Coordinates of all heavy atoms in Angstrom, one line a residue:
M1 N 8.9 -6.1 10.8 CA 7.6 -6.6 11.3 C 6.5 -5.9 10.4 O 6.5 -4.7 10.1 CB 7.4 -6.2 12.7 CG 6.0 -6.4 13.2 SD 5.8 -5.9 14.9 CE 5.7 -7.5 15.7
K2 N 5.6 -6.7 9.9 CA 4.5 -6.2 9.1 C 3.4 -5.6 9.9 O 3.0 -6.1 10.9 CB 4.0 -7.3 8.2 CG 4.9 -7.8 7.2 CD 4.3 -8.8 6.3 CE 5.3 -9.3 5.3 NZ 4.8 -10.3 4.4
R3 N 2.9 -4.4 9.5 CA 1.8 -3.7 10.1 C 0.5 -4.5 9.7 O 0.4 -5.1 8.7 CB 1.7 -2.3 9.6 CG 0.8 -1.4 10.4 CD 0.8 0.0 9.9 NE 0.3 0.0 8.6 CZ 0.0 1.2 8.0 NH1 0.2 2.3 8.5 NH2 -0.5 1.2 6.7
R4 N -0.4 -4.5 10.6 CA -1.7 -5.1 10.3 C -2.8 -4.1 10.0 O -2.8 -3.0 10.7 CB -2.1 -6.0 11.5 CG -1.1 -7.1 11.7 CD -1.6 -8.2 12.7 NE -0.7 -9.2 12.8 CZ -0.5 -10.3 12.0 NH1 -1.3 -10.4 10.9 NH2 0.4 -11.2 12.1
N5 N -3.7 -4.4 9.1 CA -4.8 -3.5 8.8 C -5.9 -3.8 9.7 O -5.8 -4.6 10.6 CB -5.2 -3.6 7.3 CG -5.8 -4.9 7.0 OD1 -6.2 -5.7 7.8 ND2 -5.9 -5.2 5.7
S6 N -7.0 -3.1 9.5 CA -8.2 -3.2 10.4 C -8.8 -4.6 10.4 O -9.5 -4.9 11.4 CB -9.2 -2.1 10.0 OG -9.6 -2.4 8.7
E7 N -8.6 -5.4 9.4 CA -9.1 -6.7 9.4 C -8.1 -7.8 9.8 O -8.3 -8.9 9.6 CB -9.7 -7.0 8.0 CG -10.8 -6.1 7.6 CD -11.2 -6.2 6.2 OE1 -10.5 -6.9 5.4 OE2 -12.2 -5.6 5.8
N8 N -7.1 -7.3 10.5 CA -6.1 -8.2 11.1 C -5.3 -9.0 10.0 O -4.7 -10.0 10.2 CB -6.7 -9.3 12.0 CG -6.0 -9.2 13.4 OD1 -5.1 -8.4 13.6 ND2 -6.4 -10.2 14.2
E9 N -5.2 -8.4 8.8 CA -4.4 -8.9 7.7 C -3.1 -8.2 7.6 O -3.1 -7.0 7.7 CB -5.2 -8.8 6.4 CG -4.5 -9.3 5.2 CD -5.3 -9.0 3.9 OE1 -6.5 -9.0 4.0 OE2 -4.7 -8.8 2.9
A10 N -2.0 -9.0 7.6 CA -0.7 -8.3 7.5 C -0.5 -7.5 6.2 O -0.9 -8.0 5.2 CB 0.4 -9.4 7.7
L11 N 0.0 -6.3 6.3 CA 0.3 -5.6 5.2 C 1.7 -6.0 4.6 O 2.6 -6.2 5.4 CB 0.3 -4.1 5.5 CG -1.0 -3.4 5.7 CD1 -0.9 -2.0 6.2 CD2 -1.9 -3.5 4.5
P12 N 1.8 -6.1 3.3 CA 3.1 -6.5 2.8 C 4.2 -5.4 2.9 O 3.9 -4.3 3.3 CB 2.7 -6.7 1.3 CG 1.6 -5.8 1.0 CD 0.9 -5.8 2.3
G13 N 5.4 -5.8 2.5 CA 6.5 -4.8 2.5 C 6.2 -3.8 1.3 O 5.3 -4.0 0.5
Y14 N 7.1 -2.8 1.2 CA 6.9 -1.8 0.2 C 6.8 -2.3 -1.2 O 5.9 -1.9 -1.9 CB 8.1 -0.8 0.4 CG 8.0 0.4 -0.6 CD1 7.2 1.5 -0.3 CD2 8.8 0.4 -1.8 CE1 7.1 2.5 -1.2 CE2 8.7 1.4 -2.7 CZ 7.9 2.5 -2.4 OH 7.8 3.6 -3.2
R15 N 7.8 -3.1 -1.6 CA 7.8 -3.6 -3.0 C 6.5 -4.4 -3.3 O 5.9 -4.3 -4.3 CB 9.0 -4.4 -3.3 CG 10.2 -3.5 -3.4 CD 11.4 -4.2 -3.9 NE 12.6 -3.5 -3.8 CZ 13.1 -2.5 -4.6 NH1 12.3 -2.2 -5.6 NH2 14.2 -1.9 -4.4
E16 N 6.2 -5.3 -2.3 CA 5.0 -6.1 -2.5 C 3.7 -5.3 -2.6 O 2.8 -5.5 -3.3 CB 4.9 -7.2 -1.4 CG 6.0 -8.2 -1.4 CD 7.2 -7.7 -0.6 OE1 7.2 -6.6 -0.1 OE2 8.2 -8.5 -0.6
A17 N 3.7 -4.2 -1.8 CA 2.5 -3.3 -1.8 C 2.4 -2.6 -3.1 O 1.3 -2.5 -3.6 CB 2.7 -2.3 -0.6
L18 N 3.5 -2.2 -3.7 CA 3.5 -1.5 -5.0 C 3.0 -2.5 -6.1 O 2.1 -2.2 -6.9 CB 4.8 -1.0 -5.4 CG 5.3 0.3 -4.8 CD1 6.7 0.6 -5.3 CD2 4.3 1.4 -5.1
E19 N 3.4 -3.7 -6.0 CA 3.0 -4.8 -7.0 C 1.5 -5.0 -6.8 O 0.8 -5.1 -7.8 CB 3.8 -6.0 -6.8 CG 5.2 -5.9 -7.2 CD 6.0 -7.2 -6.8 OE1 5.5 -8.2 -6.3 OE2 7.3 -7.1 -7.1
E20 N 1.0 -5.1 -5.6 CA -0.4 -5.3 -5.4 C -1.2 -4.1 -5.9 O -2.3 -4.3 -6.4 CB -0.7 -5.7 -3.9 CG -2.1 -6.1 -3.7 CD -2.4 -6.5 -2.3 OE1 -1.5 -6.8 -1.5 OE2 -3.6 -6.5 -1.9
L21 N -0.7 -2.9 -5.6 CA -1.4 -1.7 -6.1 C -1.6 -1.7 -7.6 O -2.6 -1.4 -8.1 CB -0.7 -0.5 -5.6 CG -0.9 0.0 -4.2 CD1 0.1 1.1 -3.8 CD2 -2.4 0.5 -4.1
E22 N -0.5 -2.2 -8.3 CA -0.6 -2.2 -9.8 C -1.7 -3.2 -10.2 O -2.5 -2.9 -11.1 CB 0.7 -2.7 -10.4 CG 1.8 -1.6 -10.2 CD 3.2 -2.1 -10.7 OE1 3.3 -3.3 -11.1 OE2 4.1 -1.3 -10.7
L23 N -1.8 -4.3 -9.5 CA -2.9 -5.3 -9.8 C -4.3 -4.7 -9.5 O -5.2 -4.9 -10.3 CB -2.7 -6.6 -9.0 CG -1.4 -7.4 -9.4 CD1 -1.3 -8.5 -8.4 CD2 -1.5 -7.9 -10.8
L24 N -4.4 -4.0 -8.4 CA -5.7 -3.4 -8.1 C -6.1 -2.3 -9.0 O -7.3 -2.2 -9.4 CB -5.6 -2.9 -6.6 CG -5.4 -3.9 -5.5 CD1 -5.2 -3.2 -4.2 CD2 -6.6 -4.9 -5.5
V25 N -5.1 -1.5 -9.5 CA -5.5 -0.5 -10.5 C -6.0 -1.2 -11.8 O -6.9 -0.7 -12.4 CB -4.2 0.4 -10.8 CG1 -4.5 1.3 -12.0 CG2 -3.9 1.3 -9.5
A26 N -5.3 -2.2 -12.2 CA -5.7 -3.0 -13.4 C -7.2 -3.5 -13.2 O -8.0 -3.4 -14.1 CB -4.8 -4.1 -13.7
K27 N -7.5 -4.0 -12.0 CA -8.9 -4.5 -11.8 C -9.9 -3.3 -11.9 O -10.9 -3.5 -12.4 CB -9.0 -5.1 -10.4 CG -8.4 -6.5 -10.3 CD -8.6 -7.0 -8.9 CE -8.0 -8.4 -8.7 NZ -8.2 -8.9 -7.4
I28 N -9.5 -2.2 -11.3 CA -10.4 -1.0 -11.3 C -10.6 -0.6 -12.8 O -11.7 -0.2 -13.2 CB -9.9 0.1 -10.5 CG1 -10.0 -0.2 -9.0 CG2 -10.6 1.4 -10.8 CD1 -9.3 0.7 -8.1
E29 N -9.6 -0.6 -13.6 CA -9.7 -0.2 -15.0 C -10.3 -1.2 -15.9 O -10.8 -0.9 -17.0 CB -8.3 0.2 -15.5 CG -7.7 1.4 -14.8 CD -6.2 1.7 -15.3 OE1 -5.6 0.8 -15.8 OE2 -5.8 2.8 -15.1
D30 N -10.4 -2.4 -15.4 CA -11.0 -3.5 -16.2 C -12.5 -3.3 -16.4 O -13.2 -3.3 -15.3 CB -10.7 -4.8 -15.6 CG -11.2 -6.0 -16.4 OD1 -12.0 -5.9 -17.3 OD2 -10.7 -7.1 -16.1
P31 N -13.0 -3.2 -17.6 CA -14.5 -2.9 -17.7 C -15.3 -4.1 -17.2 O -16.5 -3.9 -16.9 CB -14.7 -2.7 -19.2 CG -13.3 -2.8 -19.9 CD -12.3 -3.2 -18.8
S32 N -14.7 -5.3 -17.1 CA -15.5 -6.4 -16.6 C -15.7 -6.4 -15.1 O -16.5 -7.2 -14.5 CB -14.9 -7.7 -17.1 OG -13.7 -8.0 -16.5
T33 N -14.9 -5.5 -14.4 CA -15.1 -5.5 -12.9 C -16.4 -4.9 -12.5 O -16.8 -3.8 -13.0 CB -13.9 -4.6 -12.3 OG1 -12.7 -5.2 -12.6 CG2 -14.0 -4.6 -10.8
K34 N -17.1 -5.6 -11.7 CA -18.5 -5.1 -11.3 C -18.3 -4.0 -10.3 O -17.4 -3.9 -9.5 CB -19.2 -6.3 -10.6 CG -19.5 -7.5 -11.5 CD -20.2 -8.6 -10.8 CE -20.4 -9.8 -11.7 NZ -21.0 -10.9 -11.0
I35 N -19.3 -3.1 -10.4 CA -19.3 -1.8 -9.6 C -19.3 -2.2 -8.1 O -18.6 -1.5 -7.3 CB -20.5 -0.9 -10.0 CG1 -20.3 0.5 -9.4 CG2 -21.8 -1.5 -9.6 CD1 -19.2 1.3 -10.0
E36 N -20.0 -3.2 -7.7 CA -20.0 -3.6 -6.3 C -18.7 -4.1 -5.8 O -18.4 -4.2 -4.6 CB -21.1 -4.6 -6.0 CG -21.0 -5.9 -6.7 CD -21.8 -5.9 -8.1 OE1 -22.2 -4.9 -8.6 OE2 -22.0 -7.0 -8.6
D37 N -17.8 -4.5 -6.7 CA -16.4 -4.9 -6.3 C -15.4 -3.8 -6.2 O -14.3 -4.0 -5.7 CB -15.9 -5.9 -7.3 CG -16.7 -7.2 -7.4 OD1 -17.4 -7.5 -6.4 OD2 -16.7 -7.8 -8.5
I38 N -15.8 -2.6 -6.6 CA -14.9 -1.5 -6.6 C -14.5 -1.0 -5.1 O -13.4 -0.7 -4.8 CB -15.4 -0.3 -7.4 CG1 -15.6 -0.7 -8.9 CG2 -14.5 0.9 -7.3 CD1 -14.3 -1.0 -9.6
A39 N -15.5 -0.9 -4.3 CA -15.3 -0.3 -2.9 C -14.2 -1.1 -2.1 O -13.3 -0.5 -1.6 CB -16.6 -0.3 -2.1
P40 N -14.3 -2.5 -2.1 CA -13.3 -3.2 -1.4 C -11.9 -3.0 -2.0 O -10.9 -3.0 -1.3 CB -13.7 -4.7 -1.4 CG -15.1 -4.7 -1.9 CD -15.4 -3.4 -2.5
I41 N -11.8 -2.9 -3.3 CA -10.6 -2.7 -4.0 C -10.0 -1.3 -3.6 O -8.8 -1.2 -3.3 CB -10.8 -2.8 -5.5 CG1 -11.1 -4.2 -5.9 CG2 -9.5 -2.4 -6.3 CD1 -11.6 -4.4 -7.4
V42 N -10.8 -0.3 -3.6 CA -10.4 1.0 -3.2 C -9.9 1.0 -1.8 O -8.9 1.6 -1.4 CB -11.5 2.1 -3.5 CG1 -11.1 3.4 -2.8 CG2 -11.7 2.2 -5.0
K43 N -10.6 0.3 -0.9 CA -10.2 0.3 0.5 C -8.8 -0.4 0.7 O -8.0 0.2 1.4 CB -11.3 -0.6 1.3 CG -10.9 -0.7 2.8 CD -11.9 -1.5 3.5 CE -11.5 -1.6 5.0 NZ -12.3 -2.6 5.7
R44 N -8.6 -1.5 0.0 CA -7.3 -2.1 0.1 C -6.2 -1.2 -0.5 O -5.1 -1.1 0.0 CB -7.4 -3.5 -0.7 CG -6.1 -4.2 -0.7 CD -5.6 -4.7 0.7 NE -4.4 -5.5 0.6 CZ -3.7 -5.8 1.6 NH1 -4.0 -5.4 2.8 NH2 -2.6 -6.5 1.4
S45 N -6.6 -0.5 -1.6 CA -5.6 0.4 -2.2 C -5.2 1.5 -1.3 O -4.0 1.8 -1.2 CB -6.2 1.0 -3.5 OG -6.5 0.0 -4.5
L46 N -6.1 2.0 -0.5 CA -5.8 3.0 0.4 C -4.9 2.5 1.6 O -4.0 3.2 2.0 CB -7.1 3.6 1.0 CG -7.9 4.5 0.1 CD1 -9.3 4.8 0.7 CD2 -7.2 5.7 -0.4
E47 N -5.2 1.3 2.0 CA -4.3 0.7 3.0 C -2.9 0.5 2.5 O -1.9 0.8 3.2 CB -4.8 -0.7 3.4 CG -6.1 -0.7 4.2 CD -6.8 -2.0 4.3 OE1 -6.4 -3.0 3.7 OE2 -7.8 -2.1 5.1
L48 N -2.7 0.0 1.3 CA -1.4 -0.2 0.7 C -0.7 1.2 0.4 O 0.5 1.3 0.6 CB -1.5 -1.0 -0.6 CG -2.0 -2.4 -0.4 CD1 -2.4 -3.0 -1.8 CD2 -1.0 -3.2 0.3
T49 N -1.5 2.2 0.0 CA -0.9 3.5 -0.2 C -0.4 4.1 1.1 O 0.7 4.7 1.1 CB -2.0 4.4 -0.9 OG1 -2.4 3.9 -2.1 CG2 -1.4 5.8 -1.1
G50 N -1.1 3.9 2.1 CA -0.7 4.3 3.5 C 0.6 3.7 3.9 O 1.5 4.3 4.4
K51 N 0.7 2.4 3.6 CA 1.9 1.6 3.9 C 3.1 2.2 3.2 O 4.2 2.4 3.8 CB 1.7 0.1 3.6 CG 2.9 -0.7 3.5 CD 3.6 -0.9 4.9 CE 4.8 -1.8 4.8 NZ 5.5 -2.0 6.0
C52 N 2.9 2.4 1.9 CA 4.0 2.9 1.1 C 4.4 4.3 1.5 O 5.6 4.6 1.7 CB 3.6 3.0 -0.4 SG 3.5 1.4 -1.2
R53 N 3.4 5.2 1.8 CA 3.7 6.5 2.3 C 4.5 6.5 3.6 O 5.5 7.2 3.8 CB 2.4 7.3 2.5 CG 2.6 8.8 2.9 CD 1.3 9.5 3.1 NE 0.2 9.2 2.2 CZ -0.9 8.5 2.5 NH1 -1.1 8.1 3.7 NH2 -1.8 8.3 1.6
D54 N 4.1 5.6 4.5 CA 4.8 5.5 5.8 C 6.3 5.1 5.6 O 7.2 5.6 6.2 CB 4.1 4.5 6.7 CG 2.8 4.9 7.2 OD1 2.4 6.1 7.1 OD2 2.0 4.1 7.7
E55 N 6.5 4.1 4.7 CA 7.8 3.6 4.4 C 8.7 4.7 3.8 O 9.8 4.9 4.2 CB 7.8 2.4 3.5 CG 7.2 1.1 4.1 CD 8.2 0.5 5.0 OE1 9.4 0.4 4.7 OE2 7.8 0.0 6.1
L56 N 8.1 5.4 2.9 CA 8.9 6.5 2.2 C 9.2 7.6 3.2 O 10.3 8.1 3.2 CB 8.1 7.1 1.1 CG 8.0 6.2 -0.2 CD1 7.1 6.8 -1.2 CD2 9.4 5.9 -0.8
R57 N 8.3 7.9 4.1 CA 8.5 9.0 5.1 C 9.6 8.5 6.1 O 10.5 9.3 6.4 CB 7.2 9.3 5.9 CG 7.4 10.4 6.8 CD 6.0 10.8 7.5 NE 5.1 11.2 6.5 CZ 3.9 10.8 6.3 NH1 3.4 9.8 7.1 NH2 3.1 11.2 5.4
K58 N 9.6 7.2 6.5 CA 10.6 6.7 7.4 C 12.0 6.8 6.8 O 12.9 7.3 7.5 CB 10.2 5.3 7.8 CG 11.2 4.6 8.7 CD 10.8 3.2 9.0 CE 11.5 2.2 8.1 NZ 11.3 0.8 8.4
Y59 N 12.1 6.4 5.6 CA 13.4 6.4 5.0 C 13.9 7.8 4.6 O 15.1 8.1 4.7 CB 13.5 5.5 3.8 CG 13.4 4.0 4.2 CD1 12.3 3.3 3.9 CD2 14.4 3.4 5.0 CE1 12.2 1.9 4.3 CE2 14.3 2.1 5.4 CZ 13.2 1.4 5.0 OH 13.1 0.1 5.5
G60 N 12.9 8.7 4.3 CA 13.3 10.1 4.1 C 13.8 10.7 5.3 O 14.8 11.5 5.3
D61 N 13.2 10.4 6.5 CA 13.7 10.9 7.8 C 15.1 10.4 8.1 O 15.9 11.2 8.6 CB 12.7 10.5 8.9 CG 11.4 11.2 8.8 OD1 11.2 12.2 8.1 OD2 10.4 10.8 9.5
E62 N 15.3 9.2 7.8 CA 16.6 8.6 8.0 C 17.7 9.3 7.2 O 18.8 9.6 7.6 CB 16.7 7.1 7.8 CG 15.9 6.3 8.8 CD 15.9 4.8 8.6 OE1 16.8 4.3 7.8 OE2 15.0 4.1 9.1
I63 N 17.4 9.5 5.9 CA 18.3 10.2 5.0 C 18.6 11.6 5.5 O 19.7 12.1 5.5 CB 17.8 10.2 3.6 CG1 17.8 8.8 3.0 CG2 18.5 11.2 2.7 CD1 17.1 8.6 1.7
D64 N 17.5 12.3 5.9 CA 17.7 13.7 6.5 C 18.6 13.7 7.7 O 19.5 14.5 7.8 CB 16.3 14.3 6.9 CG 15.5 14.7 5.7 OD1 16.0 14.8 4.6 OD2 14.3 14.9 5.9
K65 N 18.5 12.7 8.5 CA 19.4 12.6 9.7 C 20.8 12.4 9.3 O 21.7 13.0 9.8 CB 18.9 11.5 10.6 CG 17.7 11.8 11.4 CD 17.3 10.6 12.3 CE 15.9 10.8 12.9 NZ 15.5 9.7 13.7
L66 N 21.0 11.5 8.3 CA 22.4 11.3 7.8 C 23.0 12.5 7.2 O 24.2 12.8 7.4 CB 22.4 10.1 6.8 CG 22.1 8.7 7.4 CD1 21.9 7.7 6.2 CD2 23.2 8.3 8.3
Q67 N 22.2 13.3 6.4 CA 22.7 14.5 5.7 C 23.0 15.6 6.7 O 23.9 16.3 6.5 CB 21.7 14.9 4.7 CG 21.6 14.1 3.5 CD 20.6 14.5 2.5 OE1 19.6 15.2 2.9 NE2 20.7 14.1 1.3
N68 N 22.2 15.6 7.8 CA 22.4 16.7 8.8 C 23.3 16.3 9.9 O 23.5 17.1 10.8 CB 21.0 17.2 9.3 CG 20.2 17.8 8.2 OD1 20.7 18.4 7.3 ND2 18.9 17.5 8.2
G69 N 23.8 15.1 9.9 CA 24.8 14.6 10.8 C 24.6 14.7 12.2 O 25.2 14.6 13.1

């Protein structure tokens, strides 16, 4: 099940989130990106980063449980 962000938009899975993050970083680094467009890009980046962090933490916890039996 996909988590929803504050604007009721479904967050993608881990791999999709990473791919979108790469695109967003490229937009931020693009000199033609207008300064007023940066804030929404950063906001979305933070949402996606949180999603990735949550996924990594979840699987890390599962691995710890398996190792500690």
Side-chain angles (χ1 to χ4, degrees):
M1 173 181 252
K2 292 183 179 180
R3 189 175 72 169
R4 298 194 176 274
N5 67 16
S6 59
E7 296 171 353
N8 234 5
E9 179 182 329
L11 288 174
Y14 181 81
R15 290 191 190 277
E16 295 85 2
L18 282 179
E19 290 172 4
E20 187 176 344
L21 277 167
E22 289 175 358
L23 294 173
L24 294 173
V25 167
K27 283 184 183 179
I28 290 170
E29 292 176 340
D30 184 342
S32 68
T33 300
K34 296 178 183 176
I35 192 74
E36 59 268 15
D37 295 334
I38 299 291
I41 294 171
V42 169
K43 180 181 177 190
R44 179 66 175 166
S45 298
L46 290 172
E47 292 169 348
L48 294 168
T49 302
K51 166 66 176 177
C52 291
R53 186 182 318 111
D54 292 347
E55 289 284 319
L56 289 172
R57 187 175 296 127
K58 180 178 95 173
Y59 291 114
D61 290 346
E62 288 180 22
I63 290 169
D64 286 345
K65 286 178 187 175
L66 291 171
Q67 288 178 337
N68 296 324

